[in-house]
């Protein structure tokens, strides 16, 4: 990868890691928050879902704003706002106040994903874009691990309020790094940004059934991810008797394999020139089997082993949900395209934690984990229907960028030399 791409990946990796830390530390704090406000499992799930409601609603507007005003500028704004609301979470005085603050926090973070992918698209060539994005998205797993470790340590030392005050400072540090060291974009001829953007192009993307098909695919993927991320900690504490200080540490194996899966999924997506079914169908079959086995394991060690394999298989499927659109459309439309796909995933984030918690209240954790098999089944069905390559995607999209995209691909295959620095 070009030096500009590598630096961009490092900076956005740090920002997205903090994004996930700020977002996920609440999962291990749910038992404590539930005790503070006297909440049922369903109400605790609603706290998580409140974030995803506004996070989902801001995905598409955030992508449109990034395409118009620039990814780096919008990512910086998101960092400022979500750090503020992370700190305000610590002073929530009631369940209602906590829900409002988490909604505002979700809106702030909702501006970031489309902005980050827009910034990366302008600093990477199409043929390497999913590899770069794979390294970037491995930050999700790293952020999840650090969130678990930090939450375990901070909750053991203090309470959940002090924890949120501590982690809000991380966003400020990353903001300074992004503003100081983010490199300038690559030449437009190399990134595909010189492809003519016709009037109404953003509206055409918004109306494209092909794009919404990938959004549904990401929805299915996130049924698994947000079910596990939101409730595995509570399950280990409440059902397996694990101490809160140790609950985060058992995520090490799953996190490492999930990160490796994301990187490998990106590389395979570039190697296969898209073709998500080659990755998603076998991986999601494995995920379905492992989801059935997970709550039926006999020990914590078996639970962790099963969860680790599950995380690796699911991680392979992350980038294939984005590969064809982001390889095919010019960077000037990457924000809105990724915003639509991410919107699908965040709808799952709204529904899954609350549904999972409600199933636990009325049935059991075993039934709730088994319910998540809906995700891999839907993912397999959808991936068999969406366009598999750039030509087929553009044909389904309407072909408006077919000629320009082919020219961009030829340019990216033989990029012009860049000045150092």
């Amino acid at each position: 990868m070009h030096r500009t791409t590598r630096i961009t990946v490092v900076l956005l990796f740090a920002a997205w890691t903090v994004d996930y830390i700020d977002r996920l530390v609440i999962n291990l704090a749910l038992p404590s928050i539930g005790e503070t406000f006297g909440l049922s499992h369903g109400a605790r799930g609603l706290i998580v879902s409140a974030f995803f409601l506004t996070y989902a609603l801001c995905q598409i507007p955030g992508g449109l704003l990034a395409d118009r005003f620039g990814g780096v500028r919008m990512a910086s704004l998101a960092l400022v706002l979500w750090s503020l609301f992370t700190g305000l979470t610590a002073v929530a005085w009631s369940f209602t106040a906590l829900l409002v603050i988490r909604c505002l926090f979700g809106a702030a973070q909702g501006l970031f994903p489309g902005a980050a992918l827009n910034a990366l698209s302008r600093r990477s060539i199409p043929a390497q874009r999913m590899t770069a994005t794979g390294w970037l998205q491995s930050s999700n797993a790293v952020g999840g691990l650090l969130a678990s470790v930090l939450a375990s340590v901070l909750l053991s030392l203090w309470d959940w309020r002090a924890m949120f005050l501590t982690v809000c400072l991380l966003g400020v540090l990353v903001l300074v790094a992004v503003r100081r060291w983010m490199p300038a974009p690559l030449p437009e001829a190399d990134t595909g940004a010189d492809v003519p953007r016709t009037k109404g192009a953003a509206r055409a993307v918004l109306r494209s059934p092909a794009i919404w098909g990938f959004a549904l695919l990401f929805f299915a993927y996130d049924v698994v991810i947000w079910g596990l991320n939101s409730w595995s900690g509570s399950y280990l504490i409440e059902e397996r008797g694990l101490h809160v200080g140790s609950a985060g540490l058992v995520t090490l194996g799953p996190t490492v394999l999930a990160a490796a899966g994301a990187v490998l999924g990106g590389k395979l997506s570039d190697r296969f020139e898209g073709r998500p079914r080659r990755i998603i169908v076998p991986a999601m079959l494995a995920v379905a089997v492992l989801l059935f086995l997970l709550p039926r394991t006999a020990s914590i060690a078996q639970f962790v082993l099963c969860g680790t394999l599950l995380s690796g298989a699911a991680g392979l499927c992350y980038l294939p949900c984005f590969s064809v659109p982001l390889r095919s459309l010019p960077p000037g439309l990457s924000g809105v395209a990724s915003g639509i796909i991410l919107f699908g995933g965040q709808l799952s984030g709204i529904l899954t934690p609350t549904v999972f918690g409600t199933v636990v209240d009325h049935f059991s954790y075993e039934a709730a984990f088994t319910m998540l098999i809906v995700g891999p089944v839907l993912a397999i069905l959808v991936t068999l229907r969406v366009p598999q390559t750039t030509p087929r995607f553009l044909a389904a999209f309407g072909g408006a960028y077919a000629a320009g995209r082919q020219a961009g691909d030829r340019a990216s295959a033989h990029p012009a030399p860049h000045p150092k620095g």
Side-chain angles (χ1 to χ4, degrees), residues 69-306:
F69 296 110
V72 174
R73 182 178 298 173
M74 293 307 301
S76 300
L77 176 62
L79 272 162
V80 170
L81 293 176
W82 94 53
S83 299
L84 171 64
F85 292 120
T86 297
L88 288 177
T89 300
V91 301
W93 57 92
S94 68
F95 175 57
T96 301
L98 182 59
L99 287 179
V100 172
I101 292 170
R102 296 305 289 181
C103 283
L104 294 172
F105 172 75
Q109 284 211 336
L111 299 175
F112 180 75
L117 293 176
N118 175 283
L120 181 60
S121 292
R122 294 184 181 278
R123 291 162 177 83
S124 61
I125 63 174
Q128 297 177 352
R129 190 160 293 153
M130 299 320 299
T131 298
T133 307
W135 284 106
L136 175 59
Q137 294 304 330
S138 67
S139 63
N140 296 352
V142 174
L145 173 62
L146 293 178
S148 297
V149 173
L150 284 174
S152 297
V153 172
L154 295 175
L155 288 171
S156 297
L157 296 174
W158 302 308
D159 64 4
W160 62 271
R161 296 182 186 277
M163 178 188 71
F164 281 106
L165 285 175
T166 302
V167 300
C168 76
L169 300 177
L170 297 174
V172 178
L173 297 176
V174 173
L175 173 65
V176 173
V178 168
R179 298 302 300 176
R180 182 177 178 85
W181 291 305
M182 181 64 71
L186 292 175
E188 292 185 347
D190 291 345
T191 65
D194 60 338
V195 177
R197 174 169 170 164
T198 60
K199 185 177 181 179
R203 288 194 301 272
V205 174
L206 286 168
R207 296 172 181 173
S208 169
I211 288 286
W212 286 99
F214 285 99
L216 181 58
L217 179 57
F218 198 53
F219 173 92
Y221 162 85
D222 263 342
V223 166
V224 177
I225 300 306
W226 291 118
L228 295 176
N229 284 351
S230 300
W231 285 103
S232 291
S234 294
Y235 168 77
L236 289 171
I237 294 169
E238 296 176 1
E239 294 292 307
R240 299 296 180 103
L242 198 64
H243 187 270
V244 65
S246 302
L249 301 179
V250 302
T251 64
L252 177 60
T255 299
V256 171
L257 211 57
V263 172
L264 181 58
K267 288 182 175 293
L268 290 175
S269 293
D270 278 338
R271 179 173 296 180
F272 296 152
E273 297 180 342
R275 295 182 173 86
R277 72 178 61 171
R278 293 188 179 182
I279 304 170
I280 291 177
V281 171
M284 279 298 180
L285 285 173
V287 167
V289 172
L290 292 166
L291 276 173
F292 180 81
L293 296 175
L294 187 67
R296 296 168 175 84
T297 52
S299 66
I300 291 178
Q302 290 178 8
F303 182 93
V304 172
L305 175 60
C306 188

Side-chain angles (χ1 to χ4, degrees), residues 7 18 50 53 60 90 101 146 159 186 266 274 293 326 345 371:
I7 295 173
V18 172
L53 175 63
I60 297 174
I101 292 170
L146 293 178
D159 64 4
L186 292 175
L293 296 175
L326 291 187
M371 172 201 68

